[in-house]
């Protein structure tokens, strides 16, 4: 291919920008070092110094782009005529990862999120947005290797889906396809250089209400959501930097897969979590039965927890009598009933009422404390020193932590029976029971318990600290924007947990066709009714599949009529090097053949990542067979996708992409209640190049030729 004539000049501009970036970083470092050398001063001066230092660190982090390419394009747009009515000319803006200016404040690179950069992603032949030319750079780290130009105007056909063609047209097609052909690294990369128009509309949507992003496999919904987080932090920096941005992923393998995207875009302050991370006081690791997971995700559990708390607000069955001085302190069951009834009738959460209930009981006991005249506070302090009084308060209205409530509830069939009466069946109630740990501090909870612990925290309120003081820091924190990936798989209780942390603005992404589990929705209304309703929700669809080849998408798409009637597969823009390949073996030959196919793919794929996707309970056997065949590999739970070959249970494969995939025993997945046709559809749509299916059984009917 003949070298573009402007390539040397563009390389020189990029080199100049890199040099300016280094100089800017050094200036910021010098200022920070000078600031660190200043000591002492007033409290206000120290606060201002620390605040200034935090901002400098943020700037330094934003300028640290590592090996990522700085610039990826340029736009030439029409310049407005000058005041003297001179001829129109053009002005050029180089678009890149972050804004860079030289020492004279000349703008060398414009941040991709800036309004002036919008035409780089949005302009079409019919709507050129003032552009004369759009130029795409194909970079290899700092080296410019190719240039692709798109010209706009009456004599040039622009791009877009509105030009009368059936197939979607791509912005910077050669650059995009070259990028897509690159091997995976085991971690998701940014798409800032190749964002397409329908993706950009979502990324730049206003920070208000709930935005639902529906996208099939390979449409880039995850990376679009992450770029949206980066865009919102750039555009609404002042509120969001303080309010925070939260990203919720489906599992830790997924979090490791996406962990480099936002830092590569200059945003390192976003919190990325799985839901149990939001309950730091609990230890997780318990495994629930299928029935227990379903019950714990059901909204009926709100009422169960409310009743469980009410059951801990107890009237005395027998009179309380405590020797004190020369006499006794007494509390009757009837008096305790009045206190509990009054507390229940007041507005306030359980822990909020602890001090009030204690005060009422102390007031009832004070007349019997005849040896001294005490104020209420003095009497309360004196009685708190007596173990019998502390036991009395724990019996009537205990201060409870969420972990204590659930540990006690799940470890007692009597408490469960009382809390679930009229709400759950006997079978469902029994599914919640598990033996208590030796102590509450040793209790281990399941992932499904996270939403219940969070609900209990909301119902109970913060536990009073010493002196009955409640710290606002103990309340559940909210965020200025929340991104949820694979939202279609969250249970109703988990959706409540996420919604509780929202100030009203959310971006939730998923695919109805990939929904699995007992609460898999048939449309987005079931999800939206449990999310914030401050403003009308919007649903945006990503309809173009960029990463999954057409042949693989068509093969997997045969399942959609069963898995998600009415859902359409995305329109794929790429072709595979070869069609999906089916390998039928007998039971004894299954694992050796999987190892053989893995070796072949390792040889065929020069660089990139390969996965063996199998039923969850086969992962150990597949790993053992690979070891026996001398095939080096990793396990998704331990090494994410860092190894060239990784064994990935189907239960954690959602959201991941590999260059080549071996799907083992698809019919077993299809028939499994926790996987089903939708889970198999997910497994079959993870590869960006090659797909091999190894099975001992006939394929599901939909996949047969």
């Amino acid at each position: 291919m003949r070298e573009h004539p402007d390539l040397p000049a563009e390389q020189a501009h990029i080199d100049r920008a890199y040099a300016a970036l280094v100089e800017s970083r050094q200036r910021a470092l010098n200022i920070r070092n000078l600031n660190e050398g200043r000591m002492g001063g007033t409290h206000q001066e120290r606060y201002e110094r620390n605040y200034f230092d935090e901002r400098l660190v943020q700037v330094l982090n934003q300028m640290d782009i590592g090996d990522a390419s700085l610039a990826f394009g340029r736009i030439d747009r029409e310049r407005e005529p000058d005041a003297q009515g001179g001829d129109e000319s053009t002005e050029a803006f180089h678009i890149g990862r972050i804004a860079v200016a030289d020492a004279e404040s000349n703008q060398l690179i414009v941040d991709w999120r800036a309004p002036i950069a919008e035409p780089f992603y949005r302009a079409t032949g019919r709507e050129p947005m003032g552009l004369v030319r759009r130029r795409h750079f194909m970079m290899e780290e700092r080296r410019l290797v190719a240039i692709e130009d798109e010209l706009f105007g009456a004599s040039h056909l622009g791009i877009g889906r509105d030009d009368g063609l059936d197939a979607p047209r791509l912005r910077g097609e050669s650059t995009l396809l070259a990028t897509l052909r690159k091997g995976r690294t085991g971690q998701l990369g940014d798409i800032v250089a190749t964002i397409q128009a329908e993706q950009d509309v979502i990324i730049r949507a206003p920070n208000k209400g709930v935005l639902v992003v529906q996208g099939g496999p390979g449409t880039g919904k995850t990376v679009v959501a992450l770029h949206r987080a980066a865009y919102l932090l750039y555009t609404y920096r002042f509120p969001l930097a303080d309010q925070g941005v939260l990203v919720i992923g489906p599992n830790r393998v997924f979090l490791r897969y996406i962990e480099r995207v936002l830092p590569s875009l200059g945003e390192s302050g976003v919190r990325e979590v799985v839901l149990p991370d939001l309950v730091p006081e609990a230890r997780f690791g318990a495994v629930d039965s299928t029935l227990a997971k379903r019950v714990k995700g059901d909204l009926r559990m709100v009422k169960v927890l409310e009743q469980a708390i009410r059951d801990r607000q107890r009237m005395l069955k027998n009179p309380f009598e405590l020797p004190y001085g020369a006499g006794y302190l007494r509390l009757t069951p009837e008096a305790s009933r009045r206190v509990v009834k009054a507390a229940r009738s007041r507005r306030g959460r359980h822990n909020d009422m602890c001090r009030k209930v204690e005060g009422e009981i102390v007031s009832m006991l004070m007349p019997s404390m005849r040896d001294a005249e005490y104020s209420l506070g003095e009497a309360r302090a004196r009685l708190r020193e007596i173990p019998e009084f502390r036991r009395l308060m724990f019996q009537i209205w205990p201060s409870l932590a969420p972990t204590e409530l659930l540990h006690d509830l799940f470890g007692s069939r009597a408490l469960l029976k009382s809390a679930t009466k009229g709400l759950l069946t006997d079978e469902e109630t029994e599914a919640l029971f598990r033996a208590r740990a030796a102590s509450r501090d040793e209790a281990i909870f399941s992932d499904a318990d996270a939403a219940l612990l969070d609900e209990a925290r909301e119902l109970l309120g913060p536990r009073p600290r010493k002196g009955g003081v409640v710290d606002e820091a103990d309340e559940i924190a909210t965020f200025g924007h929340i991104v949820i990936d694979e939202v279609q798989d969250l249970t109703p209780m988990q959706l409540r947990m996420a919604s509780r942390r929202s100030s009203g603005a959310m971006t939730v992404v998923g695919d109805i066709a990939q929904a699995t589990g007992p609460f898999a929705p048939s449309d987005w209304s079931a999800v939206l009714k449990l999310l914030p309703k401050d403003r009308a929700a919007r649903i945006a669809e990503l309809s173009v599949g960029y990463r999954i080849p057409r042949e693989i998408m068509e093969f997997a798409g045969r399942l959609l009529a069963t898995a998600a009637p009415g859902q359409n597969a995305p329109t794929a823009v790429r072709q595979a090097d070869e069609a999906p390949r089916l390998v039928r073996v007998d039971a004894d030959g299954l694992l050796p053949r999987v190892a053989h196919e893995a070796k072949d793919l390792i040889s065929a794929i020069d660089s990139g990542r390969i996965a063996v996707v199998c039923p969850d309970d086969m992962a150990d056997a597949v790993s053992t067979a690979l070891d026996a065949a001398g095939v080096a590999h990793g396990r998704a739970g331990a090494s994410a996708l860092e190894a060239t070959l990784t064994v990935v249970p189907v239960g954690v494969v959602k959201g991941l992409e590999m260059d080549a995939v071996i799907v083992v025993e698809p019919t077993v997945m299809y028939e499994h209640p926790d996987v089903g046709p939708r889970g198999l559809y997910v497994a079959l749509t993870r590869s960006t190049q090659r797909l091999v299916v190894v099975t001992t059984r006939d394929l599901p009917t939909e996949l047969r030729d």
Side-chain angles (χ1 to χ4, degrees), residues 407-476:
H407 177 257
D408 292 345
L409 176 65
F410 291 160
S412 167
R413 287 187 169 90
L415 288 176
L416 278 171
K417 183 177 180 181
S418 175
T420 62
K421 185 177 181 180
L423 296 169
L424 304 182
T425 66
D426 291 344
E427 183 183 12
E428 290 172 330
T429 300
E430 181 60 27
L432 296 177
F433 176 80
R434 61 169 174 250
R436 287 181 179 172
S439 70
R440 290 170 176 167
D441 292 339
E442 297 177 28
I444 299 177
F445 297 90
S446 69
D447 286 352
D449 289 331
L452 303 185
L453 289 164
D454 199 67
E455 190 75 34
R457 185 179 178 186
E458 178 71 7
L459 293 170
L460 290 167
R463 197 171 190 174
R465 298 190 179 187
K466 189 174 182 180
V469 177
V470 174
D471 193 328
E472 289 186 5
D474 293 335
E475 294 284 3
I476 294 173

Side-chain angles (χ1 to χ4, degrees), residues 570-638:
T571 302
V573 299
R574 299 174 54 230
Q575 287 187 315
D577 294 333
E578 60 180 52
R581 187 160 53 86
L582 174 65
V583 179
R584 178 73 181 266
V585 295
D586 58 30
D588 291 338
L590 176 66
L591 295 178
R593 187 56 184 261
V594 169
H596 173 78
E597 294 293 337
K599 286 182 178 179
D600 285 352
L601 286 176
I602 292 172
S603 299
I605 303 294
D606 293 334
S607 63
R609 294 295 183 269
I610 303 164
V612 177
V613 180
C614 60
D616 290 2
D617 58 5
M618 283 188 63
D620 289 341
V622 169
S623 182
T624 299
L626 292 172
D627 283 336
V631 181
H633 65 282
R635 296 287 295 270

Side-chain angles (χ1 to χ4, degrees), residues 119-394:
F120 183 76
Y121 300 105
R122 298 270 191 98
T124 67
R126 295 189 179 187
E127 294 290 341
M129 301 178 71
L131 294 194
V132 175
R133 174 172 56 188
R134 173 167 48 205
R135 173 167 286 180
H136 302 271
F137 297 157
M138 190 176 299
M139 303 289 301
E140 290 182 357
E141 295 185 358
R142 297 191 176 197
R143 188 169 70 90
L144 178 61
V145 297
I147 292 174
E148 178 184 6
D149 280 338
E150 297 174 79
L151 302 178
F152 295 83
S155 60
H156 299 286
L157 176 66
I159 66 162
R161 302 194 65 179
D162 55 355
D163 51 17
L165 301 179
D166 292 334
R169 301 294 300 277
L170 305 177
R171 180 188 65 77
E173 182 170 0
S174 299
T175 306
L176 173 63
L177 294 179
T179 301
L180 294 176
R181 282 193 292 267
K182 291 182 179 179
R184 309 299 102 188
T185 65
Q187 289 193 306
L188 184 63
D190 65 67
I191 60 166
V192 64
T194 58
I195 293 169
Q196 299 299 300
E198 72 169 3
Q199 297 172 327
D200 191 64
V201 171
I202 294 168
I203 290 170
R204 295 177 190 266
N207 183 39
K208 59 182 181 180
V210 177
L211 175 62
V212 178
V213 182
Q214 160 68 39
T219 56
K221 57 185 178 294
T222 294
V223 75
V224 164
L226 295 173
H227 282 65
R228 173 161 168 74
Y231 168 79
L232 292 174
L233 280 163
Y234 174 89
T235 306
Y236 306 96
R237 177 71 64 186
F238 178 71
L240 287 184
D242 292 331
Q243 296 169 357
V245 174
L246 179 70
V247 174
I248 300 174
N251 54 62
R252 299 202 184 280
V253 175
F254 178 85
L255 290 187
R256 292 186 63 180
Y257 179 61
I258 68 169
E259 67 184 359
R260 293 183 185 174
V261 175
L262 284 167
S264 77
L265 299 172
E267 302 296 346
S268 56
V270 175
R271 189 177 180 194
E272 297 176 350
V273 302
V274 292
L275 287 174
D277 294 337
L278 298 173
V279 190
E281 67 272 18
R283 298 169 59 204
F284 292 92
V287 178
D288 284 321
S289 67
T290 299
L291 178 57
K293 283 190 287 188
R294 182 182 66 77
V295 174
K296 290 178 179 182
D298 197 298
L299 288 178
R300 291 176 294 168
M301 289 302 298
V302 176
K303 295 294 185 183
V304 170
L305 292 175
E306 289 174 348
Q307 183 57 46
I309 293 171
R310 188 179 178 87
D311 286 342
R312 301 299 298 272
Q313 301 163 354
R314 300 165 176 160
M315 299 82 164
L316 294 178
K317 293 182 178 179
N318 301 303
F320 170 77
E321 188 173 84
L322 173 65
Y324 187 86
Y328 290 89
L329 303 181
R330 294 184 174 88
L331 184 70
T332 66
E334 176 58 25
S336 72
R337 186 191 69 79
R338 291 197 304 270
V339 171
V340 171
K341 184 178 179 181
R344 285 175 176 174
S345 67
R346 294 173 182 166
R347 296 185 63 182
R349 296 173 293 181
H350 175 87
N351 284 339
D352 298 337
M353 301 303 299
C354 285
R355 187 170 177 82
K356 292 183 175 64
V357 170
E358 183 186 61
E360 291 291 328
I361 292 176
V362 170
S363 295
M364 290 179 175
L365 298 177
M366 282 179 65
S368 300
M369 301 171 72
R370 300 191 182 100
D371 59 336
E373 292 293 332
Y374 295 121
S375 67
L376 178 61
E378 291 169 336
R380 188 198 301 264
R382 183 63 62 92
L383 289 174
R384 280 179 177 171
E385 296 174 356
I386 303 174
E388 290 84 356
F389 177 79
R390 295 198 298 269
R391 285 195 290 269
L392 171 69
M393 290 309 308
F394 185 81

